Amino acid sequence: MSDLLNIAYIQPDIKWHDINGNLKQYDNLISPINNADIIVMPEMFATGFTNQIEGLAQPMNGRIMSWMQEKSAQKNAAIIGSQLITDENGDNHNRLIMALPDGQIEWYDKRHLFRMGCENDTLTAGHEIKIFEFRGWHIRPIVCYDLRFPVWNRNKDNRYDLLICVAAWPTARHNIFEILLRARAIENQCYAVGVNRVGADGLNIDYAGGSIIVDIYGNVISRLPENAIGCGQATISLEKLNQYREKFPAILDADDFSIEI
């Protein structure tokens, strides 16, 4: 178990539908990162946010997955980002992957598909809340639009310490991204990481970035400049989180509920 967790996050200008070009870009961005425990990339980091399945969706043992596992082993860090995955049943998902240094993987399928972008017409929604355990931390992964739904993200019984949201969040709703991330951190008494992209995609949708790390009080402790390609980094403390939860145990007054899937 580690008290401190060093998080690096990458804010790229994703090349539209160019898997090889994007992986080369991430090679360059990840190369100088040292001593990170986790490296986070945006939603559909290798293709851009898209509904095109043919030629882009991959099996779990595909090129993108192999690259993530390779980088995880090289950096001795968990590598996180989402991609288009076709599962063993032939269903297509927006799947967040966490590749681990020992070669193992964890994954979460996006629950709330973005209907305004017709994502629900082509992909199958996930139905399971996942909490990953890594180096003594409990990590709750979500994907973009999931961030808007507080019940889905509710931290029942302090089951997770860190919320990670990989996103393709357009400039048109840019300020909402930070507001929701800070709210989720405050109401769930956890750290939160939100990673977004910059540039314009193949549908002429603009993205301004705004990738941040938020502490347990809702304060932004790390931020990348808007519209800038780059990597940010911050260290968070599990001891500080647990001390705060003991001092201010709001969870004891939380409402009980269940989620119907």
Side-chain angles (χ1 to χ4, degrees):
M1 175 179 290
S2 174
D3 168 42
L4 301 179
L5 195 73
N6 193 335
I7 302 171
Y9 57 104
I10 294 172
Q11 183 170 275
D13 184 351
I14 300 174
K15 303 176 186 295
W16 187 243
H17 291 185
D18 183 357
I19 293 174
N20 291 331
N22 285 313
L23 296 186
K24 183 175 294 186
Q25 175 183 195
Y26 293 115
D27 282 337
N28 294 331
L29 289 168
I30 289 175
S31 179
I33 296 174
N34 293 311
N35 302 317
D37 295 293
I38 294 175
I39 301 172
V40 188
M41 299 172 295
E43 180 180 23
M44 295 195 191
F45 70 92
T47 61
F49 181 76
T50 181
N51 290 324
Q52 180 177 315
I53 301 302
E54 186 175 357
L56 298 179
Q58 298 193 356
M60 285 293 282
N61 61 352
R63 169 79 178 97
I64 300 173
M65 178 67 71
S66 297
W67 177 89
M68 293 180 75
Q69 291 175 302
E70 177 184 318
K71 289 299 168 185
S72 179
Q74 285 179 1
K75 290 294 181 178
N76 189 31
I79 306 291
I80 295 175
S82 90
Q83 58 176 291
L84 282 171
I85 288 288
T86 301
D87 68 18
E88 61 276 6
N89 298 317
D91 293 327
N92 298 299
H93 302 275
N94 186 344
R95 178 167 290 179
L96 181 147
I97 302 291
M98 183 167 78
L100 301 174
D102 63 2
Q104 299 299 308
I105 59 169
E106 301 277 3
W107 71 85
Y108 159 77
D109 289 334
K110 185 178 182 181
R111 168 63 179 166
H112 300 89
L113 301 178
F114 188 57
R115 68 175 59 251
M116 285 69 80
C118 301
E119 189 179 22
N120 55 317
D121 291 337
T122 55
L123 301 183
T124 299
H127 56 81
E128 187 176 357
I129 291 172
K130 293 286 188 76
I131 297 176
F132 305 153
E133 187 170 354
F134 182 65
R135 295 181 179 170
W137 287 72
H138 293 91
I139 300 167
R140 174 70 189 275
I142 60 172
V143 181
C144 202
Y145 192 43
D146 286 328
L147 184 63
R148 284 183 174 266
F149 301 94
V151 174
W152 183 248
N153 296 297
R154 191 65 174 142
N155 193 5
K156 294 186 70 173
D157 302 320
N158 287 334
R159 291 176 185 169
Y160 68 85
D161 311 306
L162 171 63
L163 180 73
I164 293 181
C165 177
V166 304
W169 203 283
T171 303
R173 297 176 293 280
H174 178 64
N175 67 314
I176 296 172
F177 185 55
E178 179 171 328
I179 291 169
L180 291 177
L181 281 165
R182 296 176 74 175
R184 297 295 87 86
I186 292 167
E187 68 196 12
N188 292 303
Q189 295 190 305
C190 69
Y191 295 96
V193 178
V195 183
N196 196 22
R197 60 161 295 178
V198 301
D201 66 17
L203 302 175
N204 294 317
I205 298 173
D206 291 316
Y207 303 84
S211 302
I212 57 175
I213 297 179
V214 181
D215 73 9
I216 51 184
Y217 304 100
N219 301 313
V220 177
I221 59 174
S222 180
R223 182 195 303 273
L224 285 173
E226 293 184 11
N227 299 306
I229 298 171
C231 175
Q233 204 156 344
T235 301
I236 58 177
S237 168
L238 190 59
E239 182 179 1
K240 287 182 179 179
L241 171 61
N242 289 331
Q243 287 175 350
Y244 173 60
R245 287 173 170 174
E246 290 175 8
K247 181 179 179 181
F248 195 81
I251 190 67
L252 298 180
D253 299 309
D255 302 300
D256 193 19
F257 65 95
S258 60
I259 297 175
E260 295 183 2
I261 303 298

